[in-house]
Amino acid sequence: MNQACLRFAPSPNGQLHLGHAYSALLNEHMANRLAAKLLLRLEDIDTTRCTPALQQQMLEDLEWLGIRWHEAPQKQSEHFPRYQQALAQLEAKGLLYRAYLTRSQIKTYISQQQDWPRDPDGAPLYPGSAFGEREAKDTRNAPYALRLNMQAALSTLQNQGIDWQELTAPDAKEAERIKANPAAWGDIILARKDTPTSYHLSVVVDDAAQGISHVVRGQDLYHATSVHRLLQQLLGLPAPLYHHHKLLTDDSGDKLAKSASSISLRTLREQGTTPADIRRKLGFAH
Ligand code: GLU
């Protein structure tokens, strides 16, 4: 049997805070328990927001925290050809289409509809079918995104549902079978003009390329796993086990996010907090 392999996969578009530290340390904890490899992947496909300076800081913060990786960190920005290949595979199956509607056109259209469906993140589903874009094979010279024709993708499954195995606790012995519901996301974007891949596509391609056996990440990505399982199925990639961990909240109960005013690891460190303090605070004392 292959050695188990876990990864921490932050996007270097802001400073790391305690929520990231929790996720990284939980990956470390589970990797130790499973005698697994632990890898670091920088998810930097958004090359404008993920600056080299932020990446450098992220590596320093993780080093300071004392996490050791089994291999040199990988950067998604170095693997665009890999994602291109996966897109070509989906294209060959006739599952992609060019979507031209702008954000404001989508907004106008859905404002005229009653109870237009929204995805699990609250964004309106793309009204591709309403404008005939799915079938149009349009090649006009205007900016477009490549979207997955969800209906066509689901029909390739021939009514066989898809699911994933979820470890409901970090130390759970048995996984629970969760039914995936990719249709809830509609025609997801798989590539844009300025970013030739998307989070969903690159994460499944890389989890497979790196032999990830256990995906340990925040509860905020729980519903995205439905899309990931569908893409794995369409691309013939193996399905890892998943554990979606709790999200840390601040004193007012709001989720810690890079965008909110949550204190960065850097600031905590400048204020004299030690890595041992952080491990203790987050429940990972040695
Ligand atoms: N890069 C994603 C983030 O920072 C996490 C991806 C994942 O763990 O699947 O939110």
Side-chain angles (χ1 to χ4, degrees), residues 7 9-11 20 43 199 203 207 215-217 220-221 228 258:
R7 88 305 193 266
S11 300
H20 297 103
E43 300 213 325
Y199 160 60
V203 81
D207 284 339
V215 170
V216 176
R217 60 184 179 197
D220 51 339
L221 292 168
H228 300 172
K258 282 173 283 206

Side-chain angles (χ1 to χ4, degrees), residues 12-283:
N13 55 13
Q15 304 262 327
L16 290 182
H17 55 65
L18 279 177
H20 297 103
Y22 179 78
S23 196
L25 290 170
L26 182 63
N27 267 284
E28 181 192 62
H29 167 85
M30 289 180 70
N32 287 341
R33 192 175 63 84
L34 296 160
K37 290 197 286 187
L38 179 60
L39 307 181
L40 174 65
R41 180 198 306 147
L42 298 176
E43 300 213 325
D44 61 343
I45 55 170
D46 182 346
T47 48
T48 27
R49 289 176 65 216
C50 300
T51 63
L54 286 170
Q55 275 187 35
Q56 192 48 40
Q57 289 182 12
M58 197 169 260
L59 293 174
E60 282 169 20
D61 288 349
L62 292 166
E63 168 97 33
W64 172 76
L65 209 50
I67 303 182
R68 297 286 168 263
W69 315 103
H70 280 71
E71 289 168 16
Q74 290 212 6
K75 288 185 195 177
Q76 288 190 319
S77 58
E78 289 170 357
H79 294 138
F80 285 124
R82 202 187 256 182
Y83 314 131
Q84 210 57 43
Q85 223 171 10
L87 276 178
Q89 235 179 301
L90 298 171
E91 175 73 44
K93 288 176 187 262
L95 298 178
L96 303 184
Y97 70 92
R98 292 185 176 194
Y100 292 90
L101 296 188
T102 61
R103 240 178 252 264
S104 75
Q105 284 171 316
I106 299 174
K107 212 168 149 191
T108 309
Y109 175 76
I110 65 166
S111 69
Q112 295 153 358
Q113 312 298 315
Q114 252 192 343
D115 298 328
W116 188 257
R118 290 182 175 263
D119 71 23
D121 284 346
L125 299 197
Y126 186 74
S129 56
F131 291 85
E133 284 185 335
R134 281 177 176 163
E135 301 75 27
K137 300 273 169 263
D138 207 335
T139 51
R140 85 189 107 115
N141 191 17
Y144 61 88
L146 283 178
R147 288 186 178 263
L148 182 73
N149 180 339
M150 182 58 79
Q151 217 175 357
L154 292 174
S155 69
T156 67
L157 303 177
Q158 296 176 329
N159 291 330
Q160 300 220 322
I162 38 173
D163 48 43
W164 79 85
Q165 299 290 327
E166 173 83 16
L167 294 168
T168 51
D171 297 333
K173 294 260 178 313
E174 305 268 322
E176 197 172 293
R177 196 169 73 91
I178 310 288
K179 206 168 157 326
N181 181 18
W185 292 90
D187 294 354
I188 47 162
I189 291 190
L190 292 182
R192 293 175 201 271
K193 190 166 161 277
D194 44 354
T195 311
T197 181
S198 67
Y199 160 60
H200 295 311
L201 184 71
S202 33
V203 81
V204 297
V205 168
D206 285 343
D207 284 339
Q210 295 186 283
I212 303 301
S213 58
H214 294 66
V215 170
V216 176
R217 60 184 179 197
Q219 192 70 36
D220 51 339
L221 292 168
Y222 185 87
H223 292 292
T225 304
S226 283
V227 169
H228 300 172
R229 286 291 301 115
L230 174 64
L231 291 173
Q232 284 158 357
Q233 194 87 5
L234 296 172
L235 294 166
L237 303 176
L241 274 171
Y242 288 86
H243 171 60
H244 294 93
H245 62 71
K246 67 173 181 188
L247 299 176
L248 300 192
T249 49
D250 60 20
D251 293 341
S252 52
D254 289 330
K255 185 177 117 181
L256 293 188
K258 282 173 283 206
S259 47
S261 58
S262 48
I263 304 180
S264 66
L265 292 184
R266 216 141 254 267
T267 306
L268 288 170
R269 174 176 160 188
E270 280 157 19
Q271 291 171 350
T273 307
T274 67
D277 294 335
I278 292 189
R279 284 177 181 264
R280 207 170 314 111
K281 183 177 165 69
L282 297 176

